[in-house]
Amino acid sequence: MEPVDVVNRPLSTPTLGQESRAEVLEQRRANRGTDKQEFTSDFSALMAQVKEAGLLARRPGWNTLRFVLLGLSYVVAFAMLFLIGESWWQMATAVVFGILFTQTAYVAHDAAHRQIFTNGKVGEWVSTIVGNLFIGLSYGWWLKKHNALHHANPNKAGVDGDIAPGALIFDPEDAHELTGLRKWLAAHQGWFFFPLLTLAGLQLHVNSVQAIIKGQSSIKRRWIEGILIAIRIIGFPLIAIWAAGPLIGIVFTIVQVMVFGLHMGGSFAPNHKGQPIVPKDVKIDFLRRQTLMSRNISGGRPMGFLMGGLNYQIEHHLFPSMPSVNLHKVQPMVREYCAQKDIKYTETTLFESFGIIVRYLNRAGLGQADPFDCPVTAQFRSR
């Protein structure tokens, strides 16, 4: 079968169906980030294989099951909260809620990538409600940070906010500007990685609220998001205090936020941290940009449940609108295609990835790592 060339077809063509529109979006991503597009055909050929296999099609049955199971899980979790009452056994309930909120975040993440609904407006509203009301995460803020910046340029210095300097230093160039205690902490920052993950959930809440208050341009429904996130961030701790008493309720909330941060951070960090960082002046074609900067986590379907499908990070970055439940099916195709094109395909275990992250962070904190330690550096610097 001849591959369909959809790279230059206009998105606004009235005859395009929803699936075709998704394919056009995927193809257009192949044209971003490089002045010369001779590598675009590499991704086009892979896209043709994936399209023929039907792996971009939505999975309504699977997603309905996810929503039903999440709903039932919330019923069980709230039943635990009120039945256990004023007891320190509520810390177990806090862990359950921390995990449950993370699983809910996976659904919001998939909806924001248009994996669930063919109707974009429906997907936006579901992501807005689920993200703000259930997770305490601004959909508009996340959409810009994660979709527009991170997915478009993973691990690119000065663009990808996930590697911007903050509590941790990811780009060795940023470490050269540090002095005193901050320099010492950066040199040992790898050992602080896991303790800091316990604060990741709190940081997501704070960043979301700040973006809503400031009126960040990507937040189209500012007042709606503000009301929903206020209900979640203020209301849930009050419910915990009502059910378990002031002291236990407050500790319950702290534990829940810490577990949420560990689970969320532990699912997102292994996918890119410790992979090559791309300097600002390097432009790479879509296929290589998404593959070389990403890392898969082995473990199959069980790991997929634990990480919400993010363990297939390479495939997710290549096909962000592909339903997460299909990612394990496309993995053999992508791995084989990368081998044919001599593109490095990275996959490790979860614990190996954590070791890579800790070692990389300590090197980066000392300013010792090459920002783009990759054999195609010279090739792409010429673009």
Side-chain angles (χ1 to χ4, degrees):
M1 177 181 292
E2 288 293 324
V4 180
D5 180 11
V6 296
V7 177
N8 297 313
R9 287 166 60 182
L11 185 60
S12 58
T13 302
T15 57
L16 286 179
Q18 291 295 340
E19 292 302 326
S20 296
R21 295 172 77 88
E23 291 156 12
V24 171
L25 287 173
E26 301 290 4
Q27 290 285 4
R28 283 188 173 181
R29 291 186 181 100
N31 289 328
R32 297 176 185 169
T34 177
D35 295 328
K36 297 180 180 179
Q37 305 300 337
E38 61 265 35
F39 285 118
T40 300
S41 60
D42 286 347
F43 181 69
S44 299
L46 178 60
M47 168 61 82
Q49 295 180 29
V50 173
K51 177 186 174 184
E52 186 176 0
L55 296 176
L56 291 174
R58 307 297 192 278
R59 297 287 299 275
W62 160 249
N63 287 309
T64 299
L65 178 62
R66 291 176 78 186
F67 279 105
V68 170
L69 291 177
L70 276 176
L72 292 175
S73 297
Y74 274 106
V75 171
V76 172
F78 276 106
M80 291 175 60
L81 180 61
F82 284 99
L83 290 175
I84 293 176
E86 194 168 345
S87 166
W88 288 106
W89 283 105
Q90 290 286 17
M91 297 309 104
T93 311
V95 173
V96 170
F97 269 106
I99 295 172
L100 184 55
F101 287 142
T102 305
Q103 291 294 326
T104 306
Y106 294 152
V107 173
H109 168 269
D110 291 356
H113 278 298
R114 303 196 175 197
Q115 297 178 16
I116 300 178
F117 303 98
T118 56
N119 188 307
K121 290 293 183 182
V122 173
E124 285 185 9
W125 275 107
V126 170
S127 297
T128 298
I129 294 172
V130 173
N132 289 273
L133 184 60
F134 285 83
I135 312 169
L137 181 66
S138 167
Y139 165 70
W141 169 77
W142 174 262
L143 194 67
K144 179 179 180 181
K145 174 184 180 294
H146 183 72
N147 290 22
L149 298 179
H150 169 67
H151 265 266
N153 291 281
N155 275 19
K156 187 162 190 175
V159 180
D160 186 356
D162 288 356
I163 60 170
L168 296 172
I169 299 295
F170 297 100
D171 188 342
E173 296 298 319
D174 294 325
H176 297 155
E177 303 175 4
L178 303 178
T179 59
L181 178 62
R182 185 69 184 88
K183 182 175 182 179
W184 183 88
L185 290 172
H188 301 82
Q189 64 179 353
W191 308 115
F192 303 122
F193 173 68
F194 291 105
L196 286 173
L197 281 185
T198 63
L199 302 175
L202 177 62
Q203 183 183 31
L204 290 174
H205 294 324
V206 171
N207 289 342
S208 295
V209 171
Q210 287 178 338
I212 293 173
I213 292 175
K214 293 177 180 178
Q216 181 174 298
S217 60
S218 62
I219 303 176
K220 296 191 296 184
R221 304 177 180 89
R222 183 184 178 190
W223 284 103
I224 293 176
E225 289 207 26
I227 292 171
L228 293 177
I229 205 169
I231 293 173
R232 164 62 178 84
I233 292 179
I234 298 173
F236 185 69
L238 289 178
I239 292 175
I241 291 172
W242 178 27
L247 177 59
I248 295 178
I250 291 172
V251 178
F252 168 96
T253 302
I254 294 173
V255 172
Q256 176 268 302
V257 172
M258 292 175 65
V259 172
F260 174 62
L262 277 171
H263 196 172
M264 279 282 285
S267 297
F268 280 85
N271 305 319
H272 300 283
K273 302 299 183 285
Q275 289 297 99
I277 291 182
V278 187
K280 295 179 182 180
D281 64 329
V282 174
K283 296 181 180 180
I284 309 175
D285 72 285
F286 180 79
L287 176 61
R288 290 160 179 81
R289 180 166 75 244
Q290 303 300 345
T291 304
L292 295 173
M293 312 314 152
S294 303
R295 177 194 301 119
N296 275 18
I297 304 301
S298 61
R301 301 295 293 280
M303 187 61 67
F305 173 78
L306 179 66
M307 298 182 66
L310 298 176
N311 54 315
Y312 300 104
Q313 190 67 191
I314 294 173
E315 290 72 24
H316 170 58
H317 264 253
L318 289 172
F319 309 101
S321 65
M322 178 181 290
S324 57
V325 70
N326 285 349
L327 293 175
H328 75 283
K329 297 180 180 180
V330 79
Q331 184 189 32
M333 297 169 60
V334 174
R335 197 201 309 264
E336 180 181 357
Y337 193 78
C338 287
Q340 293 173 3
K341 297 295 180 179
D342 197 24
I343 300 173
K344 185 178 180 181
Y345 184 100
T346 303
E347 182 173 33
T348 67
T349 67
L350 183 62
F351 290 107
E352 285 174 344
S353 72
F354 287 143
I356 292 171
I357 293 171
V358 170
R359 292 190 296 271
Y360 174 80
L361 286 174
N362 284 335
R363 292 199 312 272
L366 290 169
Q368 294 180 350
D370 183 354
F372 190 48
D373 184 14
C374 181
V376 296
T377 303
Q379 179 185 8
F380 286 111
R381 278 194 183 277
S382 64
R383 299 190 179 285

